Amino acid sequence: MAPQFDAVVVGAGFGGMGAGIELDRIGLRNFVILEREDDLGGTWHVNHYPGLAVDIASVTYSYSFEPNPYWTRLFAPGRELKKYAEHIAGKYGLRRRMRFGTVVDGARWDEEHEQWIVSIAGGETITGRYLLTATGFLSQPYTPPFPGIDTFAGKIIHTTAWEDDFDLTDRKAAIIGTGATAVQLVPEVAKKAAALTVFQRTPIWVVPKVDTAIPAPVQKIFARVPATQKVARLVNTGLLEALMVVGVLHFKQAKPLNKAAGVLAKAHLRTQVRDKRTREQLTPHYDFGCKRPTFSNQYFKTFNEAHVRLETNSIERIEPDGIVTADGHKTEIDTLILATGFNLWDVNFPAIEIIGREGVNLGKFWRDNRFQAYEGITVPKFPNFLSLNSPYSYSGLSYFTTIEAQMKHMGRLLRETFRRGETTFEVTEQANAHFLDRVTDKLGSSVFYGGDCSTARSYYFNPHGEAALLRPTSTINAHREAVNFRLDDYDYGTKSA
Ligand code: NAP
């Protein structure tokens, strides 16, 4: 019994689309991309809160093989990313393979027929020879269980469910959270609200954002002479790579560089915020890089405004008309904005239930053992499965470097499977264990273990205290290994032959 599809891809964001492009390149054209949302674009479809923009320059935050010369700013606004995603889906014939509003409940390896049986909410099942999950890292919105939140009588909005027609004018608003989302949102809300209180639990490192409009003549040059944009990409990617590799991954060897980033952020804070106490409250007490730093020229300044207040006492409860903090103070509000981020480790590794060979449950395996995946993409006992949002997969600062390295890995692996005349692949236990040992060893030099991250509350760390999200190598290494990994690190087979 042949499966319905060569491959089933879960997720129609940039990761899933990259996977689809690669499947086409290797000739596996009969695939479907399942997406729970009502349109494509992943993060860039879901998020459309005011102020949304990339914080990795757009020359780098895009597919290298599909540059967009028409970004209007160095850091493009969110709507341009959504448009770019639509362009990719159209140009690469992906939209017609997508099924929206399709919530995947789980997937189970069918040993007998060597296929994945994918269960969709509502009872439907579909089958595919290969399964690729591109469900994102930041895709399960998190709302903390604040006591009393259900009694709040005003408006509650999570940043991932922004209502574009919601008018903040004259509102008494609170924003809970000070991550990268809040850093973009706070200045925008402050422009409209009558009063804004920002509830901060952990301050975030913020460095200046060197952003500017890209004038039409430059866009024309990028369009007519693509090499110019390639050079810009190379330079920007090189700088990000240096920041990541030297400042974060080789913290032990290059502490001064990491410290310099902290000094820059503190200088930025000093020049932007007048009140000394507010400055102190906004200053992180963990090393730069322990949690994802962010870029903004507006965020700090907003706290100088008379109607904006920073609240650092912890939230005790929410009442119908306000938030009560541990010091007993009540901040009266009518609008509660949750910039409280995402749940990565409890519900997102993996985002759906995946049952492999011998009934092994991937989520349970990761939790009972350690979070692990060979080259951040495959796991023993899960044949024909490419987990694109795996532990140790995120490489570099731009997600596109991860996506493209994974495209290379899957292309090489599937081509080899076909070259051998086989239909299944499965990474060996030995190769997987070796990779885990290697990344564990390398992480020893990183800021995550060598630095002071104790107060960071960073989602880079899992509940066991392991920094199991980022791949602790350069992106150059990730790309080199994607095209050079030992082919014998996999077992290949064809049971039904
Ligand atoms: P986040 O970084 O996880 O921030 C969530 C915020 O909510 C944190 O400040 C957190 O405080 C706070 N919070 C959570 N639970 C809380 C509680 N019980 N009480 C008080 N505060 C609580 O989420 P995010 O800001 O949405 O950003 C997530 C990631 O998305 C970023 O790191 C970045 O990678 C990406 N992002 C990118 C862009 C861009 O490129 N344009 C924009 C936005 C986001 P603690 O720190 O104390 O936990």
Side-chain angles (χ1 to χ4, degrees), residues 360-381:
V360 177
N361 178 313
L362 182 60
K364 189 167 174 349
F365 168 71
W366 275 340
R367 282 161 186 81
D368 288 353
N369 299 278
R370 288 177 56 196
F371 285 88
Q372 53 195 285
Y374 170 73
E375 292 286 338
I377 195 166
T378 48
V379 186
K381 294 220 162 61

Side-chain angles (χ1 to χ4, degrees), residues 49 53 55 138 144 177-181 184 201-202 291-292 339-341 459:
Y49 58 80
D55 60 8
L138 303 163
T178 52
T181 298
Q184 294 183 336
R201 188 165 66 176
T202 310
K291 79 194 289 177
R292 196 178 187 287
T340 44
Y459 64 72

